[in-house]
Amino acid sequence: MLVIPFASLKPQPWRNGGGSTREIASGGSAASPDWRLSIADLEKPGEFSAFPGMERTFMVIEGEVAELTVDGTVRRLERFRPLRFGGGSAASCALPTGPCRALNVMVRSGAAGAGVLVAELSKKQPLTLAEGQFAVLLQGKAEAAEGTHTDQLAPFDTVAGGAASGATHGVTVSGRGFAALISIFALDATE
């Protein structure tokens, strides 16, 4: 089982210098990944870096509201409401209620796809992670389990499922609270 503690992730400055991000995981070549999962700290309003050829999903996970302007359209995003948009779009962010933290998922168009949803955690019905899936604890108390091994999760810790974790048994997440469930999948180049 692979648990990626949020506390172990080092902040890196954005390409445009407007904020910082902590990379959780990525796939493909190091120079040009097909996908990337990260958590960003937004301290002040400003422009987002452009990532032409990528699709982005942005979701506020701490703080109240972020207002994203994407290609001239303003979207008011409350916590746990994902927004997908083109990485090459002109995008900027306003922070009407102060700094926030956001989950970012980026996938290369034509190479990979991604889905992001928020799941309520339960002790009676654990969330089972398949290959290519990640769970990020957003709120509450939870544990990750594989067979008889368990790990307690802190806020924003990530659990990788299936082959990403080397798991031989199913990896599950249970507890009380909410987790972001991120599914990353390769796209068939012939489609």
Side-chain angles (χ1 to χ4, degrees), residues 3 14 30 34 50-51 55 58 63 69 72 85 104 107-108 122 124 137 146 176:
V3 175
W14 288 354
D34 288 338
F51 288 91
E55 291 292 319
F58 174 95
T69 302
F85 60 97
N104 283 297
V107 294
R108 184 163 310 286
S122 164
K124 292 182 180 178
L137 180 61
E146 181 198 358
R176 294 189 186 277

PDB file of all heavy atoms in Angstrom, residues 3 14 30 34 50-51 55 58 63 69 72 85 104 107-108 122 124 137 146 176:
ATOM      1  N   VAL A   3       0.912   5.139   0.849  1.00  0.00           N
ATOM      2  CA  VAL A   3       0.327   6.342   1.426  1.00  0.00           C
ATOM      3  C   VAL A   3       1.351   7.455   1.232  1.00  0.00           C
ATOM      4  O   VAL A   3       2.523   7.303   1.578  1.00  0.00           O
ATOM      5  CB  VAL A   3      -0.009   6.171   2.913  1.00  0.00           C
ATOM      6  CG1 VAL A   3      -0.497   7.484   3.517  1.00  0.00           C
ATOM      7  CG2 VAL A   3      -1.062   5.085   3.102  1.00  0.00           C
ATOM      8  N   TRP A  14       5.300  28.129  -8.611  1.00  0.00           N
ATOM      9  CA  TRP A  14       4.673  28.025  -9.922  1.00  0.00           C
ATOM     10  C   TRP A  14       5.616  28.569 -10.976  1.00  0.00           C
ATOM     11  O   TRP A  14       6.467  29.410 -10.687  1.00  0.00           O
ATOM     12  CB  TRP A  14       3.389  28.837  -9.973  1.00  0.00           C
ATOM     13  CG  TRP A  14       2.262  28.242  -9.196  1.00  0.00           C
ATOM     14  CD1 TRP A  14       2.217  27.041  -8.567  1.00  0.00           C
ATOM     15  CD2 TRP A  14       0.990  28.859  -8.984  1.00  0.00           C
ATOM     16  NE1 TRP A  14       0.997  26.861  -7.975  1.00  0.00           N
ATOM     17  CE2 TRP A  14       0.226  27.960  -8.213  1.00  0.00           C
ATOM     18  CE3 TRP A  14       0.429  30.066  -9.359  1.00  0.00           C
ATOM     19  CZ2 TRP A  14      -1.072  28.241  -7.817  1.00  0.00           C
ATOM     20  CZ3 TRP A  14      -0.863  30.344  -8.972  1.00  0.00           C
ATOM     21  CH2 TRP A  14      -1.612  29.438  -8.216  1.00  0.00           C
ATOM     22  N   ALA A  30       9.383  12.166 -17.229  1.00  0.00           N
ATOM     23  CA  ALA A  30       9.621  13.233 -16.250  1.00  0.00           C
ATOM     24  C   ALA A  30       9.605  14.597 -16.918  1.00  0.00           C
ATOM     25  O   ALA A  30       9.113  15.573 -16.353  1.00  0.00           O
ATOM     26  CB  ALA A  30      10.949  13.007 -15.532  1.00  0.00           C
ATOM     27  N   ASP A  34       2.316  12.627 -18.720  1.00  0.00           N
ATOM     28  CA  ASP A  34       0.976  12.470 -19.297  1.00  0.00           C
ATOM     29  C   ASP A  34      -0.098  12.887 -18.299  1.00  0.00           C
ATOM     30  O   ASP A  34      -1.217  13.205 -18.696  1.00  0.00           O
ATOM     31  CB  ASP A  34       0.738  11.011 -19.701  1.00  0.00           C
ATOM     32  CG  ASP A  34       1.539  10.619 -20.931  1.00  0.00           C
ATOM     33  OD1 ASP A  34       1.928  11.514 -21.705  1.00  0.00           O
ATOM     34  OD2 ASP A  34       1.787   9.408 -21.115  1.00  0.00           O
ATOM     35  N   ALA A  50       0.073  28.813 -18.092  1.00  0.00           N
ATOM     36  CA  ALA A  50      -0.568  28.112 -19.206  1.00  0.00           C
ATOM     37  C   ALA A  50       0.098  26.757 -19.410  1.00  0.00           C
ATOM     38  O   ALA A  50       1.319  26.643 -19.310  1.00  0.00           O
ATOM     39  CB  ALA A  50      -0.470  28.946 -20.473  1.00  0.00           C
ATOM     40  N   PHE A  51      -0.718  25.737 -19.665  1.00  0.00           N
ATOM     41  CA  PHE A  51      -0.231  24.393 -19.969  1.00  0.00           C
ATOM     42  C   PHE A  51      -0.935  23.914 -21.236  1.00  0.00           C
ATOM     43  O   PHE A  51      -1.838  23.080 -21.176  1.00  0.00           O
ATOM     44  CB  PHE A  51      -0.504  23.438 -18.801  1.00  0.00           C
ATOM     45  CG  PHE A  51       0.348  23.667 -17.597  1.00  0.00           C
ATOM     46  CD1 PHE A  51      -0.069  24.510 -16.577  1.00  0.00           C
ATOM     47  CD2 PHE A  51       1.590  23.054 -17.487  1.00  0.00           C
ATOM     48  CE1 PHE A  51       0.722  24.731 -15.461  1.00  0.00           C
ATOM     49  CE2 PHE A  51       2.392  23.264 -16.368  1.00  0.00           C
ATOM     50  CZ  PHE A  51       1.957  24.111 -15.360  1.00  0.00           C
ATOM     51  N   GLU A  55      -5.417  19.097 -20.073  1.00  0.00           N
ATOM     52  CA  GLU A  55      -6.740  19.360 -19.511  1.00  0.00           C
ATOM     53  C   GLU A  55      -6.559  19.453 -18.011  1.00  0.00           C
ATOM     54  O   GLU A  55      -5.867  18.624 -17.415  1.00  0.00           O
ATOM     55  CB  GLU A  55      -7.728  18.239 -19.855  1.00  0.00           C
ATOM     56  CG  GLU A  55      -8.108  18.166 -21.314  1.00  0.00           C
ATOM     57  CD  GLU A  55      -8.942  19.359 -21.755  1.00  0.00           C
ATOM     58  OE1 GLU A  55      -9.829  19.801 -21.005  1.00  0.00           O
ATOM     59  OE2 GLU A  55      -8.681  19.860 -22.866  1.00  0.00           O
ATOM     60  N   PHE A  58      -9.626  21.651 -11.369  1.00  0.00           N
ATOM     61  CA  PHE A  58      -9.269  22.479 -10.207  1.00  0.00           C
ATOM     62  C   PHE A  58     -10.393  22.362  -9.194  1.00  0.00           C
ATOM     63  O   PHE A  58     -11.568  22.478  -9.550  1.00  0.00           O
ATOM     64  CB  PHE A  58      -9.118  23.932 -10.687  1.00  0.00           C
ATOM     65  CG  PHE A  58      -8.893  24.949  -9.602  1.00  0.00           C
ATOM     66  CD1 PHE A  58      -7.613  25.349  -9.260  1.00  0.00           C
ATOM     67  CD2 PHE A  58      -9.960  25.530  -8.938  1.00  0.00           C
ATOM     68  CE1 PHE A  58      -7.391  26.308  -8.286  1.00  0.00           C
ATOM     69  CE2 PHE A  58      -9.760  26.486  -7.956  1.00  0.00           C
ATOM     70  CZ  PHE A  58      -8.470  26.871  -7.625  1.00  0.00           C
ATOM     71  N   GLY A  63     -10.327  26.569   2.580  1.00  0.00           N
ATOM     72  CA  GLY A  63     -10.730  27.940   2.314  1.00  0.00           C
ATOM     73  C   GLY A  63     -12.171  27.906   1.838  1.00  0.00           C
ATOM     74  O   GLY A  63     -12.772  26.832   1.719  1.00  0.00           O
ATOM     75  N   THR A  69     -11.495  32.917 -13.524  1.00  0.00           N
ATOM     76  CA  THR A  69     -11.891  33.475 -14.809  1.00  0.00           C
ATOM     77  C   THR A  69     -11.143  32.679 -15.864  1.00  0.00           C
ATOM     78  O   THR A  69      -9.911  32.693 -15.909  1.00  0.00           O
ATOM     79  CB  THR A  69     -11.542  34.973 -14.902  1.00  0.00           C
ATOM     80  OG1 THR A  69     -12.197  35.662 -13.836  1.00  0.00           O
ATOM     81  CG2 THR A  69     -11.994  35.556 -16.232  1.00  0.00           C
ATOM     82  N   GLY A  72     -12.346  34.465 -20.099  1.00  0.00           N
ATOM     83  CA  GLY A  72     -13.316  35.547 -19.948  1.00  0.00           C
ATOM     84  C   GLY A  72     -14.564  35.207 -19.166  1.00  0.00           C
ATOM     85  O   GLY A  72     -15.360  36.097 -18.864  1.00  0.00           O
ATOM     86  N   PHE A  85     -11.103  22.519 -17.228  1.00  0.00           N
ATOM     87  CA  PHE A  85     -10.900  23.492 -18.306  1.00  0.00           C
ATOM     88  C   PHE A  85      -9.588  23.189 -19.025  1.00  0.00           C
ATOM     89  O   PHE A  85      -8.738  22.448 -18.517  1.00  0.00           O
ATOM     90  CB  PHE A  85     -10.934  24.935 -17.782  1.00  0.00           C
ATOM     91  CG  PHE A  85      -9.895  25.266 -16.746  1.00  0.00           C
ATOM     92  CD1 PHE A  85      -8.702  25.883 -17.096  1.00  0.00           C
ATOM     93  CD2 PHE A  85     -10.120  24.982 -15.404  1.00  0.00           C
ATOM     94  CE1 PHE A  85      -7.758  26.204 -16.142  1.00  0.00           C
ATOM     95  CE2 PHE A  85      -9.181  25.302 -14.435  1.00  0.00           C
ATOM     96  CZ  PHE A  85      -7.988  25.911 -14.803  1.00  0.00           C
ATOM     97  N   ASN A 104      -5.310  19.933  -7.867  1.00  0.00           N
ATOM     98  CA  ASN A 104      -5.172  20.088  -9.315  1.00  0.00           C
ATOM     99  C   ASN A 104      -4.871  18.734  -9.937  1.00  0.00           C
ATOM    100  O   ASN A 104      -3.987  18.017  -9.467  1.00  0.00           O
ATOM    101  CB  ASN A 104      -4.001  21.033  -9.646  1.00  0.00           C
ATOM    102  CG  ASN A 104      -4.366  22.473  -9.439  1.00  0.00           C
ATOM    103  OD1 ASN A 104      -5.246  22.994 -10.102  1.00  0.00           O
ATOM    104  ND2 ASN A 104      -3.688  23.116  -8.507  1.00  0.00           N
ATOM    105  N   VAL A 107      -4.029  16.316 -17.176  1.00  0.00           N
ATOM    106  CA  VAL A 107      -3.791  15.179 -18.059  1.00  0.00           C
ATOM    107  C   VAL A 107      -3.500  15.699 -19.459  1.00  0.00           C
ATOM    108  O   VAL A 107      -4.055  16.723 -19.889  1.00  0.00           O
ATOM    109  CB  VAL A 107      -4.986  14.199 -18.092  1.00  0.00           C
ATOM    110  CG1 VAL A 107      -5.173  13.524 -16.747  1.00  0.00           C
ATOM    111  CG2 VAL A 107      -6.264  14.882 -18.525  1.00  0.00           C
ATOM    112  N   ARG A 108      -2.608  15.011 -20.162  1.00  0.00           N
ATOM    113  CA  ARG A 108      -2.274  15.391 -21.535  1.00  0.00           C
ATOM    114  C   ARG A 108      -3.411  14.976 -22.452  1.00  0.00           C
ATOM    115  O   ARG A 108      -3.807  13.808 -22.481  1.00  0.00           O
ATOM    116  CB  ARG A 108      -0.956  14.738 -21.965  1.00  0.00           C
ATOM    117  CG  ARG A 108      -0.496  15.173 -23.355  1.00  0.00           C
ATOM    118  CD  ARG A 108       0.950  14.867 -23.627  1.00  0.00           C
ATOM    119  NE  ARG A 108       1.846  15.317 -22.589  1.00  0.00           N
ATOM    120  CZ  ARG A 108       2.196  16.592 -22.369  1.00  0.00           C
ATOM    121  NH1 ARG A 108       1.686  17.548 -23.115  1.00  0.00           N
ATOM    122  NH2 ARG A 108       3.025  16.902 -21.393  1.00  0.00           N
ATOM    123  N   SER A 122     -17.148   6.120   4.982  1.00  0.00           N
ATOM    124  CA  SER A 122     -17.936   5.353   5.933  1.00  0.00           C
ATOM    125  C   SER A 122     -17.055   4.253   6.507  1.00  0.00           C
ATOM    126  O   SER A 122     -16.180   3.730   5.820  1.00  0.00           O
ATOM    127  CB  SER A 122     -19.144   4.738   5.212  1.00  0.00           C
ATOM    128  OG  SER A 122     -19.728   3.717   5.977  1.00  0.00           O
ATOM    129  N   LYS A 124     -18.490   1.464   7.629  1.00  0.00           N
ATOM    130  CA  LYS A 124     -19.188   0.237   7.255  1.00  0.00           C
ATOM    131  C   LYS A 124     -19.010  -0.105   5.783  1.00  0.00           C
ATOM    132  O   LYS A 124     -19.068  -1.271   5.410  1.00  0.00           O
ATOM    133  CB  LYS A 124     -20.678   0.357   7.582  1.00  0.00           C
ATOM    134  CG  LYS A 124     -20.942   0.407   9.070  1.00  0.00           C
ATOM    135  CD  LYS A 124     -22.410   0.479   9.351  1.00  0.00           C
ATOM    136  CE  LYS A 124     -22.663   0.524  10.850  1.00  0.00           C
ATOM    137  NZ  LYS A 124     -24.072   0.650  11.171  1.00  0.00           N
ATOM    138  N   LEU A 137      -7.572  12.515   1.443  1.00  0.00           N
ATOM    139  CA  LEU A 137      -8.444  12.834   2.574  1.00  0.00           C
ATOM    140  C   LEU A 137      -8.627  14.343   2.637  1.00  0.00           C
ATOM    141  O   LEU A 137      -7.670  15.090   2.792  1.00  0.00           O
ATOM    142  CB  LEU A 137      -7.856  12.314   3.885  1.00  0.00           C
ATOM    143  CG  LEU A 137      -8.701  12.608   5.134  1.00  0.00           C
ATOM    144  CD1 LEU A 137     -10.083  11.948   5.044  1.00  0.00           C
ATOM    145  CD2 LEU A 137      -7.962  12.173   6.390  1.00  0.00           C
ATOM    146  N   GLU A 146      -4.801  -2.412   3.635  1.00  0.00           N
ATOM    147  CA  GLU A 146      -4.557  -3.448   2.638  1.00  0.00           C
ATOM    148  C   GLU A 146      -4.328  -4.727   3.413  1.00  0.00           C
ATOM    149  O   GLU A 146      -3.366  -4.833   4.188  1.00  0.00           O
ATOM    150  CB  GLU A 146      -3.337  -3.140   1.786  1.00  0.00           C
ATOM    151  CG  GLU A 146      -3.125  -4.217   0.733  1.00  0.00           C
ATOM    152  CD  GLU A 146      -1.735  -4.220   0.143  1.00  0.00           C
ATOM    153  OE1 GLU A 146      -0.904  -3.374   0.487  1.00  0.00           O
ATOM    154  OE2 GLU A 146      -1.489  -5.126  -0.667  1.00  0.00           O
ATOM    155  N   ARG A 176     -14.670   8.575   8.752  1.00  0.00           N
ATOM    156  CA  ARG A 176     -15.762   9.557   8.722  1.00  0.00           C
ATOM    157  C   ARG A 176     -15.212  10.839   8.156  1.00  0.00           C
ATOM    158  O   ARG A 176     -14.193  11.343   8.616  1.00  0.00           O
ATOM    159  CB  ARG A 176     -16.312   9.798  10.116  1.00  0.00           C
ATOM    160  CG  ARG A 176     -16.992   8.601  10.717  1.00  0.00           C
ATOM    161  CD  ARG A 176     -17.703   8.982  12.017  1.00  0.00           C
ATOM    162  NE  ARG A 176     -18.230   7.809  12.673  1.00  0.00           N
ATOM    163  CZ  ARG A 176     -19.386   7.235  12.369  1.00  0.00           C
ATOM    164  NH1 ARG A 176     -20.116   7.728  11.408  1.00  0.00           N
ATOM    165  NH2 ARG A 176     -19.797   6.172  13.030  1.00  0.00           N
TER     166      ARG A 176
END
